[in-house]
Each structure stands twice: as structure tokens, then as C-alpha cells.
Amino acid sequence: MDSLTVYGGNRLKGKVRVSGAKNVAMKVILASLLTDEKIVCRNVPHISSVENTAKAVEILGAQVNFDNHCFEAEGKHINNFQIPLEMGGVIRTSTMVIGPLLARFGRAVVPNPGGCRLGARPIDRHIEGLKKLGAKIEYKDGYFVAEAKKLKGAEYKFPKITHTGTESLILAAVLANGKTVLKNAAEEPEIDDLIKMLNLMGAKITRQKNRIIEIQGVNGLKGVDYEVMPDRNEVITFAVAALITGGDIVIENAEEQNISAFLKKLDDIGAKWEKLDRGIRFIGHGNYQATDVATSPHPGFMTDWQPLWTVLATQMIGKSVIHETVFEDKFRYVSELIKMGAKIKLFNPKVDDPETYYNFNWEDNQPEFWHAALVSGPTKLHEAVLQMMNIRAGAAVLIAALSVPEKKKSVIYNIGQLERGYEKLEERLSSLGARIKRNII
């Protein structure tokens, strides 16, 4: 129930380091279920999504210690194959536990996953892949109940690219009998970070060309000491904060190769950035030129960056079209920006063969869903009372509130969404010159 009061008008300046990647940290914690030996994961962010994932592993019987961004787990005492129903509402990785639990017990009972409700988030792609490996799965009373004496390697082609689905099948296939070939697999760097850790544990995973991943099952995995990669979504958050406030921020551990699609668009709009020896500097100056963006799976423009880019587009000269192709209903936050005076019109572009063009299941589309935004700028945003819809939309409205004129304040509610994906974001923004006050209820 806490809220934030945000004062605009300050240019953000200074240096910052981003946290470890949320979308790696949750998965490497689940990898502790694959071995009885101790795993140590460093640079793990203290955010609710990660903490809830650690709690789920602990409920299953693992000995867990999570302190000072270091997660340690030992799985030799795991004695439970069921995650409580209430945990499904707070983590979206629950189906990823099925493979590791089947390897241990031949049975897994996990709740329907939660997390950000960005469209339907269909897990049919996960479940069908697990069935292809030999799991028998039925849905009953809010749980997925899975059984398999031993998973067997198989070839499976994802009908649509899925980040979490790819990781779910990797975690299931590493201890399966034989070879698994995943086709149309996701290529995100967070997946490669998970693969790197699993291979250090003794897995045999290789990425081939044309979105193919091959996994040769092994008999067991060992412990590991591993450091999680930096969070590229945080990099984009601080970058947009610098650009929209006319600031100057150095992100010390930003990795250029993982945000190349974003940097290319910055070049298109005339934004200033420069590569440093150990990071990237972003310099805000205004006079950005409007350009069009379409989200897509990696190596394209990431869907998580879309809300932040939309905020930046309100300050571009001209009209920008932002086309969301990954999720079917991801523009709900736009109503919050319109409260602030943003000139945004939602519409549905004409697309040939939408079932193939869009990465979501077209049958999940509804007439009230919008897939694109036309943003006219530049527009001076003003103060407002705002809501955070999800993690990245929450960051977007926070950054928007920082861009309003001096001495104007906005109040933002539902900030628990922000805390699911960012560790102490308001404190780090404050260290760069932002004026943010937390209202504790």
C-alpha cells in the first residue's frame, strides 16, 4: 500500500551500476533443484520475484541462504515434489520446476504460474514440450500434475518463440535420457547465461544456428559458483531516465552487445551515447527525432523496453509508431501517460497473416486489445496521480514523473509492481539527483 511522491525538474547525473539480471537470477535458483551439491550464485538482486523463487526452493526442502546478493542452496535434503497453490500467484516460473522435480521424484505438482499479467502468457508451449519429453501432465484443481519415470530426449519445435518455455525445456532435458533438440528456441542472452551456468555444472548444452539448441542428457550435475550477468532492462531504465531529464548518466557495467537494438534506435533519433571501457554513458539533450519501433524477440527490440521507449517518444519531434508484436495486450499503462498530457492514440495496424506475424497466440487476441501506439511530440508532461500496471510500465510512469517541470509532484500507487523487478530503484535514482519520497502506510 506504500506510494511514491515524485518531484520533477531535476537532471539526473552521475554513475550507477545495475543489478544482476532478474530473468537469470530466478532460473539459476531453480537450477539448484538439479543437484545435491551446493550452488553459489552471486550478483543476485534482492527483489520480490527472486525472493519468492528462493522461498519456493526452500519449501521443497533445499537448504537456502540468501544474503548480500549471494544465493546459496544445497539440494540433498529436498523431499517434496509439490509447490503450494499460493506460491503460483507470485512467481511465473512454477512450470520450470516440473522437469527438475520429475528427475528427482518422477512426480511434480505445481500451481498455475503468476507474475506480471502481460496478456495470456500461454504456457501451453511449455506443457506440450514437456509431454514431448515423456511427461504425463494433467491440470486439476489449480495444479499441473506431472508424472514420468524418466524423461527421454526428443525433438520439439516451439510454435512461437518463448523465453520461459525454452528455459523450462532446458531444465527438463539436462538430466533426461538421450539427446533433446529444441527448434525455434529463444535467443535471449539471459538464456545463454543460464546455459553457461548449467554447462559449468556438467550439462552438455550447445546452441546451434537457426534458433536450435541441443541438449545431451547427463546422469547428474555438480555444484557451481556463478555470477549472474547485469540486468539489461535496468540499463535501459537508467538510459531513458538520463535522456528524458536532459541528464548525464554512466552505467558502469552496461554490456553493449546485449542492448544493440536499443542503441541502434538511439542513433536513429539522434540521442547521444558513448561506449566507455567499463560501461556506457547516456547524455540527454532533447531534439530527438521521431522514429518507428516494433518489438520482437532477441536480437530485436525487447518488449520490456516498449513502455520506457513510449515515454521517451513523448519528447521526440514528430510522430512515432510503436508496434507491440510479442504480447497481445501491453498498452494498458498508456492511460496513465495520457493523464500526464501525453498525446498517444492506440490503434491496430493492418498486418498480413497476423497469426504468423505476431508472437502471441492469435486466438488469445480480443477486439479491445491494441497492438500499436501513435505518439505525437514533443509534449510537456505534467503532474498526476498514477498507478503502476506491471514492472516495466511501473518504471515507465516513474521516469515520466521525473520529467515534469520543476516543483511539480506526482503520486504513484501500486509500487509493489516495481519492487518485483527493481532493487531500491527510487534510492538509486535519488543518488543521481531525483527527488522521490516513499509514503509508508
Side-chain angles (χ1 to χ4, degrees):
M1 295 298 293
D2 291 357
S3 63
L4 297 177
T5 299
V6 183
Y7 297 85
N10 284 11
R11 295 183 176 183
L12 303 191
K13 298 181 179 181
K15 296 181 180 179
V16 67
R17 289 182 65 84
V18 297
S19 303
K22 161 186 172 287
N23 288 334
V24 177
M26 292 190 296
K27 319 308 169 50
V28 298
I29 287 174
L30 296 179
S32 65
L33 299 173
L34 294 166
T35 178
D36 285 343
E37 296 185 18
K38 184 178 181 180
I39 72 161
V40 178
C41 297
R42 305 182 189 277
N43 198 31
V44 177
H46 282 279
I47 55 179
S48 60
S49 292
V50 171
E51 291 166 352
N52 285 326
T53 304
K55 183 178 179 181
V57 170
E58 190 171 26
I59 286 172
L60 295 172
Q63 294 181 336
V64 171
N65 182 56
F66 185 17
D67 184 53
N68 195 28
H69 303 103
C70 180
F71 172 84
E72 300 179 2
E74 194 168 343
K76 64 183 179 181
H77 297 297
I78 292 174
N79 57 5
N80 184 11
F81 55 75
Q82 179 169 336
I83 293 179
L85 186 64
E86 61 269 19
M87 291 300 294
V90 293
I91 61 173
R92 66 177 177 87
T93 51
S94 57
T95 56
M96 298 181 70
V97 182
I98 292 176
L101 291 181
L102 289 177
R104 280 184 175 271
F105 302 106
R107 184 172 171 82
V109 181
V110 303
N112 199 15
C116 282
R117 287 302 179 187
L118 304 176
R121 273 198 187 278
I123 62 171
D124 55 317
R125 308 168 194 173
H126 313 194
I127 300 302
E128 290 304 314
L130 290 166
K131 288 181 178 178
K132 193 75 172 179
L133 295 178
K136 296 180 180 179
I137 304 175
E138 63 176 346
Y139 187 68
K140 184 178 180 180
D141 298 329
Y143 288 95
F144 288 98
V145 181
E147 294 183 344
K149 289 184 178 180
K150 182 70 174 178
L151 294 177
K152 297 179 180 180
E155 181 176 300
Y156 179 70
K157 182 177 181 179
F158 293 100
K160 299 281 188 176
I161 297 170
T162 163
H163 186 150
T164 307
T166 298
E167 293 167 322
S168 293
L169 292 198
I170 289 173
L171 290 174
V174 287
L175 296 180
N177 283 336
K179 181 179 179 180
T180 296
V181 179
L182 303 180
K183 296 184 176 181
N184 200 33
E187 294 182 324
E188 277 69 17
E190 292 84 0
I191 296 175
D192 287 342
D193 211 38
L194 174 63
I195 289 174
K196 183 178 179 181
M197 175 180 166
L198 291 171
N199 282 341
L200 290 173
M201 296 172 68
K204 295 181 179 180
I205 309 169
T206 57
R207 186 182 283 282
Q208 309 295 329
K209 294 181 180 179
N210 301 318
R211 294 190 176 275
I212 295 175
I213 297 175
E214 295 184 355
I215 307 119
Q216 180 64 50
V218 297
N219 292 326
L221 297 179
K222 59 185 179 181
V224 71
D225 191 322
Y226 193 73
E227 183 168 326
V228 172
M229 66 178 280
D231 194 315
R232 60 194 176 123
N233 290 320
E234 282 201 0
V235 174
I236 272 56
T237 302
F238 285 107
V240 172
L243 297 175
I244 202 170
T245 66
D248 186 344
I249 297 177
V250 174
I251 306 176
E252 295 181 322
N253 56 339
E255 297 177 329
E256 180 182 3
Q257 70 274 17
N258 292 333
I259 60 168
S260 58
F262 175 79
L263 296 176
K264 172 62 170 62
K265 284 299 176 181
L266 291 190
D267 291 340
D268 291 346
I269 69 172
K272 292 183 179 180
W273 65 275
E274 61 177 314
K275 180 73 173 69
L276 305 177
D277 288 341
R278 296 183 179 180
I280 304 176
R281 179 186 181 192
F282 296 92
I283 308 163
H285 61 81
N287 298 319
Y288 309 125
Q289 301 300 312
T291 192
D292 295 342
V293 166
T295 65
S296 63
H298 190 80
F301 194 94
M302 193 175 182
T303 183
D304 282 19
W305 306 339
Q306 180 252 98
L308 290 155
W309 187 266
T310 301
V311 171
L312 185 58
T314 66
Q315 305 309 305
M316 297 177 193
I317 301 170
K319 294 182 178 181
S320 305
V321 173
I322 301 162
H323 193 175
E324 174 60 49
T325 75
V326 177
F327 289 106
E328 72 273 18
D329 185 24
K330 202 177 178 181
F331 281 110
R332 295 184 183 183
Y333 70 91
V334 164
S335 60
E336 303 303 299
L337 300 182
I338 292 174
K339 288 180 186 178
M340 304 180 73
K343 298 176 182 178
I344 304 176
K345 180 180 179 181
L346 298 178
F347 70 104
N348 285 323
K350 187 175 181 180
V351 173
D352 294 332
D353 191 12
E355 293 186 21
T356 301
Y357 180 82
Y358 288 109
N359 197 58
F360 54 81
N361 290 344
W362 185 246
E363 58 266 28
D364 292 328
N365 190 47
Q366 299 294 328
E368 65 270 22
F369 294 166
W370 302 107
H371 309 316
L374 176 64
V375 186
S376 300
T379 303
K380 287 187 177 181
L381 302 180
H382 57 72
E383 72 276 22
V385 177
L386 305 165
Q387 293 282 342
M388 292 187 174
M389 303 293 188
N390 56 63
I391 296 172
R392 307 307 167 192
V397 298
L398 173 57
I399 299 303
L402 291 173
S403 74
V404 304
E406 187 176 0
K407 297 182 180 180
K408 300 293 184 179
K409 67 178 182 180
S410 299
V411 179
I412 307 177
Y413 292 92
N414 199 27
I415 64 173
Q417 291 286 356
L418 192 71
E419 294 166 342
R420 291 182 54 247
Y422 295 90
E423 181 178 345
K424 299 179 179 179
L425 180 60
E426 73 268 24
E427 293 182 19
R428 288 186 286 162
L429 288 170
S430 296
S431 73
L432 298 169
R435 291 189 300 162
I436 305 173
K437 177 186 175 183
R438 178 179 284 258
N439 308 306
I440 301 175
I441 298 177

